């Protein structure tokens, strides 16, 4: 057995291999790119070596950098995982030259099956059923004649590659002519091989594959089949075993065909023989062979009890003999692929920092992320694989539904809700899924798209992050909590539900669900699908509607938006409020950006009863404010002169342009202090040793007073002569540069 194995991969598969190596008592070496420095596989490995920058060509696809890491650490073998170099015959040969064992098939076996047209030839020689097709096509004229012979519709395929890349359905000659050069260029760019061929297209088909394994001693076994028909753009989304609805005779025919083909080349290690299953004719046809471990290998392991990664390592070490092995599958297993992508935007990838990554304890979860992980833009967007098992398929479906309901990912957009809806569908429950099913699947997201972010737009909740101020964590929350709470009341939400706060200029938002909203606070120019929107009342919004908020008309500084059910962002330190300076809370720990997607909590009734805020509850905003305060704690005569305090209360303090959620700066009369300096606290008389602050305290930072805001400090070194009473704090949120304030002394 090896003493140390290098994993030439990243992500979930690297973590999976590390666990198996640890079980075998074999040391693990992880390689990683600069973009993956904080990936779990780096932390979990016994040793880790950085091999380059984020782009795969500079790291995970670079032979020499991988070999250098192997030499540096004394690794004896390399496990390629899946993707990257896992089916690269040249890499396998280069490993041998470096005196490293490549854990996988032989280079010749990769070449035999690596090109689809040569794999078809092998399948034909070994009696594996095949769809009518062609050899490699020399030009478009040959393609036209072959298509007529086969019969339209046909599939134009690149002979190299996989993952659905380089495949086009052609319904007629015009479609074939349009696709021919395009597919060849795509294949050349992606695989450095522009060979293409034709194959008869099956309109309603299932994708069924057989897991095979060869011990390199002449023994090849089939470990059951998997149904991978739930695909979008030829990329698998859900995989399961056993394939539903197959007769025992048909299943055995599939297994026999796969082992016959693999046995013909003396196959070693893990591989998958893939088939197209014609739903109407109930017949299967050879598709291709993947000469590597598959992403979906876990479902096979769940029902067979076989550790395929362990078998790969044992086989490569010459310690596996499958003579006499008989598989005894039990139960059913289903896997879903959790991707960092937005199903509502044609599955565009999403990158950024995860503010939540919570997975179900009762499921098998293979992942490389945790809260705080940054998803880079360089690689496949898979976050995790969630795998469940049941005694029956129905039990497995129920378990998967429960597992997905317990899964939480936030900070970026992902396909979690899409997966939930797939598993909850009647078609999936019945096993009535084919490869084109998801193309017309009616996904219904409960989200809001941020088309334009506005100014300092953020998620907030009431009362904010209370209970942590003593250790320096501010409450945050809405600056104008009165308007915020009224907005929630208007849409039927509890006061504490998370909503949005905008400053001076609002965002443009597209609603992807039917819902009820309310706008309160400073009145911005607003329209919904071009129609003017009234403030301080509930409004029904249909999915697809666009709300545009512009600048504030008149006085005030901040506008609040409540959405029925509230925004579904993670709770952090007891609150969903955004603390941008601390980079936590809200959506991704920051203010909104173009392209953000905000999830909304689903509620039984999308539309709340129409409500209008009673006139006495609607505050009046002005450019001159009076705000009630309590005297102290650092007033006259200890810190300020008796003569100054009447000046303080009689002055019209002007709001400075440099004001924000941390504090509202004011300009006005110069203060008069009773002392010449702050003693041991500092040179200026406003200095004081560490003192507790309150939200709304007027803090003299030198000669300039600052109203401490919702994101302000809890402890500081400056005197505070007065503190705004709680009932008047909402006014602080509406102060804008140029406004004036007169403070009115009151009593408790």
């Amino acid at each position: 057995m090896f003493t140390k194995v290098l994993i030439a991969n990243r992500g979930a598969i690297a973590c999976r291999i590390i666990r198996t190596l640890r079980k075998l008592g074999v040391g693990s070496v992880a390689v990683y790119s600069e973009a993956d420095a904080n990936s779990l596989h780096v932390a979990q490995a016994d040793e880790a070596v950085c091999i380059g920058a984020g782009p795969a060509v500079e790291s995970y696809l670079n032979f020499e950098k991988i070999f250098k890491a192997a030499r540096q650490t004394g690794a004896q073998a390399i496990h390629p995982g899946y993707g990257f170099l896992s089916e690269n015959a040249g890499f396998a040969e280069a490993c041998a030259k470096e005196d490293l064992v490549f854990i996988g098939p032989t280079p010749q076996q990769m070449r035999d099956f690596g090109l689809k047209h040569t794999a078809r030839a092998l399948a034909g020689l070994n009696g594996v059923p095949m769809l009518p097709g062609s050899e490699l096509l020399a030009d478009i004229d040959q393609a036209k004649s072959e298509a007529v012979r086969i019969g339209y519709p046909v599939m134009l395929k690149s002979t190299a590659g996989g993952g659905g890349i380089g495949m086009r359905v052609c319904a007629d000659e015009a479609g074939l002519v349009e696709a021919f050069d395009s597919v060849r260029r795509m294949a050349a760019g992606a695989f450095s091989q522009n060979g293409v061929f034709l194959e008869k297209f099956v309109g309603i088909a299932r994708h069924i594959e057989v897991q095979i394994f060869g011990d390199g001693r002449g023994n090849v076994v089939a470990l059951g089949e998997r149904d991978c028909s739930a695909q979008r753009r030829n990329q698998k989304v859900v995989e399961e075993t056993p394939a539903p609805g197959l007769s025992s005779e048909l299943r055995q025919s599939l297994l026999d065909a796969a082992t016959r083909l693999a046995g013909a080349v003396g196959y070693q290690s893990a591989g998958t023989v893939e088939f197209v299953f014609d739903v109407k004719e109930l017949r299967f046809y050879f598709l291709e062979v993947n000469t590597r471990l598959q992403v979906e290998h876990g479902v096979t392991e769940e029902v067979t009890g076989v550790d395929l990664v362990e078998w790969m390592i044992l086989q490569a070490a010459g310690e596996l003999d499958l003579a006499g092995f008989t598989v005894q599958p039990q139960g059913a297993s289903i896997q879903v692929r959790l991707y960092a992508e937005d199903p509502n935007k044609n599955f565009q990838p999403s990158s950024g920092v995860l503010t939540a990554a919570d997975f179900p304890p009762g499921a098998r979860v293979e992942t490389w992320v945790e809260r705080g992980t940054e998803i880079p833009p360089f690689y496949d967007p898979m976050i995790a694989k969630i795998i469940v098992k049941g005694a029956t398929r129905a039990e497995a479906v129920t378990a998967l539904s429960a597992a997905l309901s317990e899964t939480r990912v936030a900070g970026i957009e992902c396909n979690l809700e899409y997966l939930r809806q797939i598993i909850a569908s009647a078609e999936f429950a019945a096993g009535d899924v084919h490869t084109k099913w998801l193309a017309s699947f009616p996904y219904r997201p409960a989200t809001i798209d941020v088309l334009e972010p506005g100014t300092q737009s953020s998620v907030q909740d009431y009362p904010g992050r209370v209970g942590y101020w003593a250790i320096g964590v501010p409450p945050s929350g809405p600056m104008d909590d009165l308007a915020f709470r009224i907005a929630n009341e208007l849409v039927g939400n509890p006061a504490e539900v998370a909503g949005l706060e905008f400053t001076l200029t609002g965002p443009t938002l597209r609603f992807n669900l039917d819902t009820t909203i309310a706008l309160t606070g400073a009145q911005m120019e607003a329209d919904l699908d071009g129609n003017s929107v009234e403030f301080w009342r509930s409004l029904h919004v249909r999915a697809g509607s666009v709300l545009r908020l512009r600048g504030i008309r008149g006085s005030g500084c901040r506008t609040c938006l409540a959405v029925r059910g509230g925004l579904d962002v993670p709770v952090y330190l007891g609150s969903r409020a955004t603390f941008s300076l601390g980079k936590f809370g809200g959506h991704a720990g920051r203010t909104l950006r173009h392209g953000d997607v905000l999830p909304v909590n689903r509620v039984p009734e999308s539309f709340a009863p129409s409500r209008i805020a009673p006139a006495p509850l609607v505050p009046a905003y002005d450019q001159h404010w009076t705000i009630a305060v309590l005297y102290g704690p650092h007033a006259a005569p200890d810190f300020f002169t008796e003569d100054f305090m009447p000046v303080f209360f009689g002055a019209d303090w002007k709001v400075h342009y440099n004001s924000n959620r941390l504090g509202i700066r004011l300009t006005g009369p110069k203060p008069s202090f009773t002392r010449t300096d702050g003693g041991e606290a500092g040179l200026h008389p406003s200095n004081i040793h560490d003192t507790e602050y309150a939200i709304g305290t007027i803090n003299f930072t030198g000669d300039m007073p600052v109203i401490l805001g919702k994101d302000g400090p809890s402890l500081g070194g400056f005197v505070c002569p007065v503190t705004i009473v709680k009932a008047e704090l909402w006014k602080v949120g509406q102060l804008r540069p140029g406004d004036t304030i007169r403070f009115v002394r009151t009593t408790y």
Side-chain angles (χ1 to χ4, degrees), residues 453-464:
T455 304
Q456 294 295 303
S457 303
S458 63
V459 176
Q460 301 295 341
D461 69 357
Y462 176 82

Side-chain angles (χ1 to χ4, degrees), residues 702-725:
D703 290 341
M704 175 176 277
V706 180
I707 304 173
L708 295 179
K710 292 292 185 73
D711 289 350
S714 61
L715 194 68
F718 298 100
V719 296
C720 304
V722 297
T723 302
I724 298 172
V725 300

Side-chain angles (χ1 to χ4, degrees), residues 31-213:
V31 293
Y32 65 95
S33 71
E34 292 169 2
D36 274 338
N38 295 315
S39 175
L40 283 183
H41 82 280
V42 177
Q44 292 175 355
D46 297 323
E47 298 176 68
V49 180
C50 182
I51 56 171
V57 70
E58 299 180 40
S59 50
Y60 298 108
L61 295 176
N62 189 299
F63 289 19
E64 183 50 41
K65 289 182 179 180
I66 292 171
F67 294 147
K68 182 179 178 181
R71 290 191 294 267
Q72 175 183 327
T73 58
Q76 302 151 294
I78 292 181
H79 198 307
Y82 43 67
F84 292 133
L85 298 171
S86 59
E87 293 180 283
N88 189 310
F91 179 68
E93 287 175 335
C95 284
K97 292 178 181 177
E98 291 284 333
D99 200 24
L100 292 165
V101 176
F102 178 84
I103 300 178
T106 68
Q108 186 56 48
Q109 289 164 356
M110 290 186 197
R111 290 195 172 95
D112 288 341
F113 293 125
L115 297 178
K116 297 183 183 71
H117 76 284
T118 58
R120 275 178 57 86
L122 274 170
L125 288 173
N126 288 280
V128 179
M130 290 193 303
L131 287 166
S134 74
E135 301 295 325
L136 286 185
L137 301 167
D139 51 36
I140 186 59
D141 291 332
Q142 185 186 6
K144 289 178 184 178
S145 62
E146 286 293 284
V148 171
R149 179 183 64 81
I150 296 167
Y152 287 101
V154 294
M155 178 76 84
L156 180 64
K157 286 186 172 183
S158 161
T159 186
I165 300 172
M167 296 168 59
R168 288 277 291 275
V169 178
C170 305
D172 50 32
E173 184 175 294
L176 177 61
V177 171
E178 188 274 331
F180 191 78
D181 287 338
S182 174
V183 171
R184 295 222 302 183
R185 283 194 303 271
M186 181 183 298
F191 314 119
S192 301
Q193 163 65 265
N194 72 347
V196 294
F197 66 98
L198 290 175
E199 201 170 68
K200 180 68 178 175
F201 175 69
V202 180
I204 302 178
R206 289 167 62 185
H207 184 127
I208 299 176
E209 61 188 29
V210 176
Q211 176 70 61
I212 52 100
F213 203 101

Side-chain angles (χ1 to χ4, degrees), residues 178-521:
E178 188 274 331
F180 191 78
D181 287 338
S182 174
V183 171
R184 295 222 302 183
R185 283 194 303 271
M186 181 183 298
F191 314 119
S192 301
Q193 163 65 265
N194 72 347
V196 294
F197 66 98
L198 290 175
E199 201 170 68
K200 180 68 178 175
F201 175 69
V202 180
I204 302 178
R206 289 167 62 185
H207 184 127
I208 299 176
E209 61 188 29
V210 176
Q211 176 70 61
I212 52 100
F213 203 101
D215 62 6
R217 304 168 187 261
N219 304 304
V220 177
V221 297
L223 297 171
E225 84 291 348
R226 298 183 288 252
D227 191 304
C228 309
S229 302
Q231 304 177 3
R232 54 106 189 143
R233 290 188 292 206
N234 300 310
Q235 287 279 14
K236 300 167 186 175
V237 178
V238 185
E239 299 107 338
E240 61 178 299
T241 190
L246 296 187
S247 67
S248 56
E249 294 81 10
L250 187 56
R251 178 173 285 112
Q252 191 59 51
S253 295
L254 275 165
L255 302 183
D256 290 345
T259 51
R260 190 164 60 248
L261 178 58
V265 297
Y267 193 82
Q268 72 175 38
S269 199
T272 306
V273 184
E274 303 197 354
F275 298 92
V276 172
F277 181 73
D278 189 320
V279 172
K280 289 183 178 179
E281 296 183 6
L282 298 181
R283 296 179 63 182
F284 65 88
Y285 303 96
F286 174 76
L287 181 61
E288 62 182 350
V289 177
N290 283 306
T291 54
R292 57 173 168 80
L293 192 68
Q294 291 279 84
V295 175
E296 58 271 22
H297 72 275
V299 294
T300 297
E301 293 180 330
E302 289 296 306
V303 300
T304 62
V306 171
D307 185 330
L308 286 166
V309 175
E310 180 178 347
W311 273 20
M312 291 180 75
I313 297 166
L314 292 174
Q315 188 279 321
E319 299 181 15
L320 183 70
D321 187 345
L322 295 178
F325 174 83
T326 303
V327 64
Q328 295 180 321
Q330 294 185 355
S333 181
I334 310 175
Q335 168 184 288
V336 293
R337 303 188 188 194
L338 186 62
Y339 284 116
E341 62 186 12
D342 188 349
N344 201 44
K345 293 190 179 72
N346 201 24
F347 299 93
Q348 73 176 24
S350 177
S351 59
V353 176
L354 297 179
T355 55
D358 304 319
F359 298 106
R364 171 176 167 178
V365 178
E366 296 190 359
T367 186
W368 60 280
V369 305
E370 57 189 346
R371 188 178 71 187
T373 297
E374 182 170 2
I375 307 297
F378 305 110
Y379 316 116
D380 180 274
M382 190 166 66
I383 298 173
K385 301 183 294 179
I386 301 174
I387 307 166
V388 298
K389 183 185 178 183
T392 63
R393 183 178 188 273
E395 283 188 17
V397 171
T398 299
L400 183 55
S401 179
L404 291 174
S405 69
E406 296 177 53
T407 302
R408 181 67 182 275
V409 176
I412 63 170
E413 186 61 3
C414 73
N415 69 334
L416 177 58
E417 180 59 25
Y418 180 68
L419 294 173
R420 289 170 177 164
Q421 292 181 31
I422 290 172
I423 302 307
S425 68
E427 293 89 344
F428 187 82
D432 187 18
V433 175
H434 54 82
T435 55
K436 299 301 178 185
W437 174 59
L438 287 181
S440 58
F441 183 75
Y443 174 56
R444 297 183 178 88
T447 57
I448 301 170
D449 291 329
V450 179
L451 305 182
E452 295 294 338
T455 304
Q456 294 295 303
S457 303
S458 63
V459 176
Q460 301 295 341
D461 69 357
Y462 176 82
R465 197 165 281 103
V466 296
Y468 298 93
W469 220 38
I471 57 171
V473 179
S476 298
M479 286 287 282
D480 179 354
D481 62 38
L482 176 63
F484 189 88
R485 286 179 285 151
I486 292 175
N488 265 332
E489 178 74 17
L490 288 170
V491 300
N493 288 341
E496 67 273 11
V497 165
L500 291 169
E501 175 188 88
F502 317 127
T503 305
L504 294 176
T505 304
T508 300
L509 306 173
R510 180 172 56 225
F511 293 83
N512 299 316
L513 75 165
D514 293 344
T515 189
T516 304
I517 66 170
L519 288 163
T520 58

Side-chain angles (χ1 to χ4, degrees), residues 442-630:
Y443 174 56
R444 297 183 178 88
T447 57
I448 301 170
D449 291 329
V450 179
L451 305 182
E452 295 294 338
T455 304
Q456 294 295 303
S457 303
S458 63
V459 176
Q460 301 295 341
D461 69 357
Y462 176 82
R465 197 165 281 103
V466 296
Y468 298 93
W469 220 38
I471 57 171
V473 179
S476 298
M479 286 287 282
D480 179 354
D481 62 38
L482 176 63
F484 189 88
R485 286 179 285 151
I486 292 175
N488 265 332
E489 178 74 17
L490 288 170
V491 300
N493 288 341
E496 67 273 11
V497 165
L500 291 169
E501 175 188 88
F502 317 127
T503 305
L504 294 176
T505 304
T508 300
L509 306 173
R510 180 172 56 225
F511 293 83
N512 299 316
L513 75 165
D514 293 344
T515 189
T516 304
I517 66 170
L519 288 163
T520 58
Q523 187 158 333
M524 292 180 172
E525 292 185 48
D527 70 77
L528 183 69
D529 297 332
N531 299 311
S532 181
V533 172
E534 292 187 47
F535 276 51
W536 303 98
R537 66 187 304 160
S538 61
L539 178 68
H540 293 166
V541 175
R542 291 288 183 182
S545 291
V546 175
L547 175 68
R548 291 178 175 84
L549 295 164
R550 300 175 181 86
I552 290 173
R553 296 184 299 184
S555 301
C557 185
R558 291 180 173 85
T559 299
C560 301
L561 172 67
V563 181
R564 182 160 172 78
L567 299 178
D568 184 19
V569 298
V571 173
Y572 189 83
L573 293 178
S575 171
R576 293 180 169 84
T578 305
F579 178 35
S580 297
L581 192 64
K583 298 183 180 180
F584 58 73
H587 176 74
R590 54 169 171 76
T591 56
L592 301 187
R593 295 177 185 166
H594 171 80
D596 281 345
V597 180
L598 304 176
V600 178
N601 288 305
R602 293 187 186 271
V603 291
E605 299 293 334
S606 299
F607 297 137
S610 296
R611 301 190 68 184
I612 302 175
L617 282 183
V618 179
Y621 301 147
D622 201 349
Q623 293 177 331
H624 181 76
W625 301 79
T626 58
I627 300 179
V629 297
L630 293 173

